């Protein structure tokens, strides 16, 4: 497996603006099938910035502790 350069991928729904960040663990990119809010399948892929990456990791730690 080849680790991705920036493992944090942000997916944004073009219809309603909903977004989610997934940490990619290999060169196989996981893409959500549809928007969890409106059900649209028109998702835009972006690289998450540093602040979004820290917020994602903090949220994952809080999920483990609760």
């Amino acid at each position: 497996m080849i680790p991705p350069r920036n493992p944090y991928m942000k997916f944004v729904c073009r219809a309603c603006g909903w977004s989610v960040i997934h940490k990619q663990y290999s060169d196989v990119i996981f893409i959500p099938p549809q928007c969890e809010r409106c059900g649209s399948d028109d998702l835009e892929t972006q690289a998450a910035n540093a602040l979004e990456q820290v917020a994602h990791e903090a949220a994952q730690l809080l999920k483990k502790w609760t």
Side-chain angles (χ1 to χ4, degrees):
M1 275 196 268
I2 300 171
R5 190 174 296 178
N6 180 2
Y8 296 91
M9 299 296 295
K10 180 178 180 180
F11 301 96
V12 180
C13 177
R14 293 181 185 171
C16 70
W18 171 84
S19 66
V20 65
I21 295 175
H22 286 287
K23 185 175 181 181
Q24 309 295 329
Y25 292 100
S26 70
D27 57 344
V28 178
I29 297 176
F30 168 78
I31 299 175
Q34 63 185 13
C35 173
E36 290 181 11
R37 184 186 297 164
C38 70
S40 172
D41 60 351
D42 189 16
L43 299 177
E44 179 182 0
T45 304
Q46 302 173 353
N49 62 35
L51 183 60
E52 292 169 332
Q53 293 174 15
V54 170
H56 174 75
E57 289 300 323
Q60 295 303 313
L61 283 174
L62 287 174
K63 284 182 183 177
K64 281 185 178 181
W65 290 345
T66 57

